[in-house]
Amino acid sequence: MKTTGIVRKIDELGRIVIPKELRKALNLEKRDPVEIFVDGEQIVLKKYQHPQACIITGEITSQNYKIGNKDIVVSPEGAQVLLKELLENMEEEPDKDLLTRSL
C-alpha cells in the first residue's frame, strides 16, 4: 500500500475529509458512493461500482448487458458512445491496428 503522508482527524460526527488532490486523482466526485472494507486494523475505502453499472456511463438499467468474458457491463447509450469513439479512432488512423491505437 502506498503512503500519501496525509493525516486527517475524525470530526465530532465521525467524518473524515478526503483531500481534494486524492479525490481528483481517484476520480471521486461529490456524492459518489464509497465502499468501506476492514483489513486487519486498516480501513480501506474504494469507489463503489454497482455490478450492473455501465462501465462507460455508469447507468444502471434493465437494458444493460455484459460483454467480453461477462466482466464488462455496457448500457445501450454506453455502447453507442463506445462505438462512436472506436469508429472515430479508426478513421483517424485507418492503417493502425485497433488494439495498439492507444499505446
Side-chain angles (χ1 to χ4, degrees):
M1 199 175 300
K2 186 177 176 181
T3 183
T4 63
I6 300 170
V7 176
R8 291 287 191 252
K9 290 186 178 184
I10 299 174
D11 74 8
E12 302 81 27
L13 297 176
R15 299 175 296 196
I16 300 172
V17 175
I18 301 171
K20 185 176 183 177
E21 298 82 16
L22 283 179
R23 293 193 315 265
K24 187 175 181 179
L26 299 172
N27 196 27
L28 288 170
E29 303 291 333
K30 291 179 184 174
R31 304 226 179 260
D32 277 349
V34 177
E35 238 176 325
I36 303 171
F37 299 92
V38 176
D39 183 12
E41 292 187 9
Q42 296 182 348
I43 298 171
V44 180
L45 303 176
K46 179 182 173 190
K47 185 174 181 176
Y48 178 71
Q49 179 73 26
H50 190 282
Q52 295 300 318
C54 173
I55 194 166
I56 297 167
T57 65
E59 290 179 298
I60 302 170
T61 72
S62 60
Q63 298 170 328
N64 287 10
Y65 50 95
K66 295 180 179 184
I67 59 175
N69 290 335
K70 306 288 184 190
D71 295 334
I72 301 171
V73 177
V74 181
S75 68
E77 182 182 340
Q80 289 178 348
V81 170
L82 179 60
L83 182 59
K84 180 182 176 190
E85 287 188 24
L86 287 171
L87 292 173
E88 286 172 359
N89 284 330
M90 290 175 71
E91 289 173 1
E92 290 173 8
E93 301 180 61
D95 58 331
K96 195 169 183 186
D97 180 16
L98 183 61
L99 296 175
T100 60
R101 286 177 199 273
S102 64
L103 301 177

